[in-house]
Amino acid sequence: MASDPPRGKGKGKGSGISEPAGLPEDRKPQSDEAHSAFTPPLGVPLPPTPEEEHPTSEFALPEGLRAEAPAEPEGSAFARPGGATGQTPLPTFTPPHGIPVLSLTKEAPWQDRMRTMLRMPIHERPVPERAERTEEEGGGPAVPRVLDLTLRIGEILLAGGEGAEDVEAAMFGVAHAYGLERVEPTVTFTLLSISYQPSLVEDPLTASRTVRRRGVDYTRLSAVFRLVDDITSEGISLEEAYRGLAEIRRNRHPYPSWALTVSSGLLSGAASMLVGGGVLVFIAAAIGSMLGDRLAWLASARGLPEFYQFVVAAMPPAGMGLAFALAHSNVQSSAVITGGLFALIPGRALVASVQDGLTGYYITASARLLEVGYLIVGIVVGVLSVLYLGLQADPGLKRLNPEQALQLYNEPVVQTIASMLLALAFCVLLQQERHTVAFATLNGGVAWVVYGALTATAGFNAVPSTAIAAGLVGLFGQLLSRYRYASALPYVTAAIGPLLPGSATYFGLLNFAQGNLLEGFSSLIKAASLALAIAVGVNLGGEVARLFLRAPLAVEPGGERRAAKRTRGF
C-alpha cells in the first residue's frame, strides 16, 4: 500500500495533476483524502451536527422523562444551620446593614427571658453577655461551683412545688449568667442534672442532685426567685450568690406549727360553710381538721410515709361527722366531713402535674400525677374506714346523705366570705409572705363569685364553670407575679382552694361505703373532671397572661413568640 503524499504547500506535487491558476480557494477541487463514503453528494444538505459527542448508554434517561431531584445531603452537627424546609438559609456573606444581634431585654422578668431561651434551638440562643467567671485562687473557670450553685437553686424550687419548666429556666438562667454557654439542664420528679460542654472537642462536665425531701414554704420560694433575678439581671458575684442562698436556707418558716394547725381548722370550717354549714358545723369541722393535723404531725415524726399521714389525717373529720349522725342531731354531718376533705385534697400537686404535661415534661407529669393518686387513695382509705364502721353500727343512717345539704344551698354573701377565709387559711398553710396574703385572698373570693354566678345564675355545668373560674385565677396570678417579679404559686395555689371538689369526693366515698358502686364511680369521675378543669384552667390562664406581655426577645420587628416544646413538628 502506497504511502500518503506529503501535505503542505507542495500539495498535489508529483501527482501529475496541476491546480488551475486564478481560482479562489473555496472553488478549488479538494484532494481525494477529503472525500468519504459518508459524505453526501453535492446538492444534498448536510445533516445537523450532534450537540454532544458521546456514546449513548442503556442507563441513559429516555426523552420525555423528567430526571429525579437529587437527594438532600445529610445534615451534620458541624454544618451551618439553615436551608431546611420553611427556613431561610443563612447568607454566605455579611449583609451591608450587618447581622442582627440576638439579645434578651432586661425589663422582662427572668422567667420569661429564660423560658424564651429554653424554647429556642441551640444554634439561635444568644451567647452570654459577660465574660466567664474565674476563681481568684487558681485562675481557671469556676465551672464546678457554678454547676453546684445551679443544682442547689433548682433543688429548692423543685422541692417547693415549682413546675419543671420554671425550674429548668432558673437553672439555665443561673448557668448562663456566669458564662456557661453550652449548658443543658434536665429536671425530673426527683432528679436534677446539668451538663456543660466547653467546646465541641472537649469532654462535657455533668453534675446531678437528688431531691429527697419536699416541703411547702412559699416564702423561701419567693426568696429564691429574687436571688435568681439578682443573678440574671444585676450580675452579682458567685460568692454573693452563695451567701444569699445560705441565708435563704437558714431562714425559719414565717408561721409556727400551732398557727398551721389553727389554719387547718379555719380552712375546714370555712369549707363547711361553702356547702351549707352553720356555726356548729364550722366548729365541728375545725376541731376534726385540727385533730387530723396533729395526728399527721405525729405520724411524720415517727417516720411514717406520707400515704399513712393522709390516712390518719382523714379519719378525725370523718369521725366527727359520723358522731353527729349517730347522735341524730340537727347538725349537717355531711358538711363536716366535706369541710375536712378540703384541707386534704392535693390541689397544687394536681395543677403542677397537668402543667408539666402541657409543657412537654411527661415523665415529671406522670410522677406527679401518680403521687396525687397515692395521696387521694390515702384519703379514701381513711374516710371509708370510718364510714364503713358507722354504717355497720347503724345501717339506716340517712343524715350522711349530702344531697339536701350540698345542692340547694345558695347564699352568695356567706359563701363569698367563706371562700376568702378558706383562701386566707391556705396562705398560712403554704407559708406565704405576708404581703401576698391579701392578693391571694381576694383572688380566691373572685374565683368563687365567678363560679357561683355561672352555676347558680347562668345555669352552667359545674365543670366548665370551674375551668373558667380557675382560668381567671391563673390569669390574675400570672399578672401579679410578673408585676412583682416573683413566682405565681403564692397567688394561685391558695386561690383555687374554694374550687376544690370536696363535696363530689365525699359523695363518691359515701356511695362506696353504702355499696352503690355505680353512683360512687360517677361521683369520683365528676370529682376528677373538676380537678382537671382546675388544672387546665390555671395553666390556660397563665398562658393567656403571657399574651399580654411583651416578648422579651429583642429581634427584628415581627418576631413571633415561640410556643412550648414541640412534639409533632409544627
Side-chain angles (χ1 to χ4, degrees), residues 57-67:
S57 169
E58 59 181 358
F59 302 103
L61 191 69
E63 295 183 2
L65 293 182
R66 190 185 311 173

PDB file of all heavy atoms in Angstrom, residues 57-67:
ATOM      1  N   SER A  57     -26.009   5.284  26.357  1.00  0.00           N
ATOM      2  CA  SER A  57     -25.884   4.162  27.278  1.00  0.00           C
ATOM      3  C   SER A  57     -27.257   3.594  27.545  1.00  0.00           C
ATOM      4  O   SER A  57     -28.281   4.287  27.424  1.00  0.00           O
ATOM      5  CB  SER A  57     -25.238   4.620  28.591  1.00  0.00           C
ATOM      6  OG  SER A  57     -25.336   3.615  29.572  1.00  0.00           O
ATOM      7  N   GLU A  58     -27.288   2.325  27.914  1.00  0.00           N
ATOM      8  CA  GLU A  58     -28.576   1.714  28.226  1.00  0.00           C
ATOM      9  C   GLU A  58     -29.160   2.244  29.531  1.00  0.00           C
ATOM     10  O   GLU A  58     -30.329   2.051  29.835  1.00  0.00           O
ATOM     11  CB  GLU A  58     -28.414   0.207  28.352  1.00  0.00           C
ATOM     12  CG  GLU A  58     -27.422  -0.213  29.436  1.00  0.00           C
ATOM     13  CD  GLU A  58     -27.277  -1.715  29.513  1.00  0.00           C
ATOM     14  OE1 GLU A  58     -27.960  -2.412  28.768  1.00  0.00           O
ATOM     15  OE2 GLU A  58     -26.477  -2.151  30.344  1.00  0.00           O
ATOM     16  N   PHE A  59     -28.326   2.948  30.303  1.00  0.00           N
ATOM     17  CA  PHE A  59     -28.807   3.562  31.539  1.00  0.00           C
ATOM     18  C   PHE A  59     -29.232   5.012  31.337  1.00  0.00           C
ATOM     19  O   PHE A  59     -29.633   5.672  32.285  1.00  0.00           O
ATOM     20  CB  PHE A  59     -27.726   3.521  32.628  1.00  0.00           C
ATOM     21  CG  PHE A  59     -27.272   2.123  32.941  1.00  0.00           C
ATOM     22  CD1 PHE A  59     -26.066   1.636  32.465  1.00  0.00           C
ATOM     23  CD2 PHE A  59     -28.073   1.285  33.702  1.00  0.00           C
ATOM     24  CE1 PHE A  59     -25.656   0.360  32.763  1.00  0.00           C
ATOM     25  CE2 PHE A  59     -27.657   0.006  33.993  1.00  0.00           C
ATOM     26  CZ  PHE A  59     -26.446  -0.470  33.520  1.00  0.00           C
ATOM     27  N   ALA A  60     -29.104   5.533  30.130  1.00  0.00           N
ATOM     28  CA  ALA A  60     -29.485   6.916  29.869  1.00  0.00           C
ATOM     29  C   ALA A  60     -30.996   7.060  29.968  1.00  0.00           C
ATOM     30  O   ALA A  60     -31.756   6.137  29.676  1.00  0.00           O
ATOM     31  CB  ALA A  60     -28.994   7.354  28.483  1.00  0.00           C
ATOM     32  N   LEU A  61     -31.447   8.259  30.386  1.00  0.00           N
ATOM     33  CA  LEU A  61     -32.870   8.533  30.556  1.00  0.00           C
ATOM     34  C   LEU A  61     -33.493   8.812  29.203  1.00  0.00           C
ATOM     35  O   LEU A  61     -33.009   9.663  28.448  1.00  0.00           O
ATOM     36  CB  LEU A  61     -33.048   9.744  31.472  1.00  0.00           C
ATOM     37  CG  LEU A  61     -34.449  10.016  31.969  1.00  0.00           C
ATOM     38  CD1 LEU A  61     -34.869   8.917  32.951  1.00  0.00           C
ATOM     39  CD2 LEU A  61     -34.511  11.367  32.664  1.00  0.00           C
ATOM     40  N   PRO A  62     -34.547   8.102  28.826  1.00  0.00           N
ATOM     41  CA  PRO A  62     -35.190   8.360  27.521  1.00  0.00           C
ATOM     42  C   PRO A  62     -35.777   9.761  27.465  1.00  0.00           C
ATOM     43  O   PRO A  62     -36.048  10.390  28.481  1.00  0.00           O
ATOM     44  CB  PRO A  62     -36.290   7.286  27.466  1.00  0.00           C
ATOM     45  CG  PRO A  62     -35.927   6.276  28.483  1.00  0.00           C
ATOM     46  CD  PRO A  62     -35.166   6.989  29.520  1.00  0.00           C
ATOM     47  N   GLU A  63     -36.003  10.232  26.236  1.00  0.00           N
ATOM     48  CA  GLU A  63     -36.572  11.559  26.050  1.00  0.00           C
ATOM     49  C   GLU A  63     -38.015  11.571  26.547  1.00  0.00           C
ATOM     50  O   GLU A  63     -38.750  10.607  26.373  1.00  0.00           O
ATOM     51  CB  GLU A  63     -36.515  11.962  24.572  1.00  0.00           C
ATOM     52  CG  GLU A  63     -35.095  12.118  24.044  1.00  0.00           C
ATOM     53  CD  GLU A  63     -35.094  12.584  22.591  1.00  0.00           C
ATOM     54  OE1 GLU A  63     -36.219  12.798  22.082  1.00  0.00           O
ATOM     55  OE2 GLU A  63     -34.030  12.728  22.013  1.00  0.00           O
ATOM     56  N   GLY A  64     -38.398  12.709  27.115  1.00  0.00           N
ATOM     57  CA  GLY A  64     -39.762  12.843  27.608  1.00  0.00           C
ATOM     58  C   GLY A  64     -39.928  12.543  29.084  1.00  0.00           C
ATOM     59  O   GLY A  64     -40.960  12.867  29.659  1.00  0.00           O
ATOM     60  N   LEU A  65     -38.935  11.913  29.697  1.00  0.00           N
ATOM     61  CA  LEU A  65     -38.997  11.628  31.126  1.00  0.00           C
ATOM     62  C   LEU A  65     -38.188  12.663  31.883  1.00  0.00           C
ATOM     63  O   LEU A  65     -37.129  13.089  31.431  1.00  0.00           O
ATOM     64  CB  LEU A  65     -38.467  10.227  31.428  1.00  0.00           C
ATOM     65  CG  LEU A  65     -39.297   9.057  30.889  1.00  0.00           C
ATOM     66  CD1 LEU A  65     -38.671   7.752  31.316  1.00  0.00           C
ATOM     67  CD2 LEU A  65     -40.736   9.140  31.379  1.00  0.00           C
ATOM     68  N   ARG A  66     -38.702  13.033  33.098  1.00  0.00           N
ATOM     69  CA  ARG A  66     -38.033  14.032  33.909  1.00  0.00           C
ATOM     70  C   ARG A  66     -37.105  13.350  34.906  1.00  0.00           C
ATOM     71  O   ARG A  66     -37.485  12.364  35.535  1.00  0.00           O
ATOM     72  CB  ARG A  66     -39.063  14.859  34.673  1.00  0.00           C
ATOM     73  CG  ARG A  66     -38.485  16.096  35.359  1.00  0.00           C
ATOM     74  CD  ARG A  66     -39.529  16.785  36.195  1.00  0.00           C
ATOM     75  NE  ARG A  66     -40.764  16.986  35.457  1.00  0.00           N
ATOM     76  CZ  ARG A  66     -41.886  17.452  35.989  1.00  0.00           C
ATOM     77  NH1 ARG A  66     -41.897  17.738  37.280  1.00  0.00           N
ATOM     78  NH2 ARG A  66     -42.974  17.602  35.259  1.00  0.00           N
ATOM     79  N   ALA A  67     -35.931  13.873  35.040  1.00  0.00           N
ATOM     80  CA  ALA A  67     -34.971  13.294  35.993  1.00  0.00           C
ATOM     81  C   ALA A  67     -35.398  13.605  37.418  1.00  0.00           C
ATOM     82  O   ALA A  67     -35.976  14.660  37.705  1.00  0.00           O
ATOM     83  CB  ALA A  67     -33.564  13.839  35.729  1.00  0.00           C
TER      84      ALA A  67
END
